[in-house]
Amino acid sequence: MARYQNEHFTETAWIDWVSRQTLTQREQFLFGLSGKYKPQPYGPFYVSHYFLLMHDAGAEVLLPTDHITDNGGAEIKLGMDFSHKTVFDSLTVEAGV
């Protein structure tokens, strides 16, 4: 896992090897990214994103019906953070795809 952060931007990346490739076992790993950008450090507006990938490769001895598969998902959101204007610990409104 690695993280970069400054007053406007935070980005986190990680990778987790689930299985290494052998003669009979598939190589598999998970990879992810997430981050947030605030144009004004103390302003309410922000943009955030998330990405996840599951890589499932074949074993060293390939079978005719065995293929590499990559499954993933991504999300991007626009949001407003009103946490500093309320008595709640956090209050945000977000919309995205």
Side-chain angles (χ1 to χ4, degrees):
M1 184 171 110
R3 174 178 285 172
Y4 174 78
Q5 183 174 347
N6 64 29
E7 68 177 338
H8 294 280
F9 185 74
T10 301
E11 186 70 31
T12 304
W14 57 269
I15 190 164
D16 182 10
W17 249 270
V18 179
S19 176
R20 71 180 185 90
Q21 190 179 49
T22 66
L23 289 174
T24 58
Q25 286 195 290
R26 302 171 74 85
E27 178 192 36
Q28 297 175 320
F29 64 84
L30 295 162
F31 170 74
L33 288 170
S34 64
K36 183 185 271 190
Y37 170 70
K38 294 183 86 172
Q40 298 176 350
Y42 301 104
F45 178 74
Y46 65 88
V47 178
S48 65
H49 72 87
Y50 185 81
F51 173 77
L52 178 67
L53 172 75
M54 170 62 173
H55 176 74
D56 189 15
E60 287 180 34
V61 179
L62 290 175
L63 301 173
T65 59
D66 199 12
H67 304 287
I68 294 174
T69 58
D70 289 320
N71 297 308
E75 178 180 54
I76 188 163
K77 298 183 288 186
L78 302 175
M80 301 284 281
D81 185 354
F82 299 108
S83 300
H84 59 284
K85 295 184 179 186
T86 181
V87 297
F88 299 115
D89 290 343
S90 64
L91 177 61
T92 61
V93 178
E94 299 177 330
V97 293

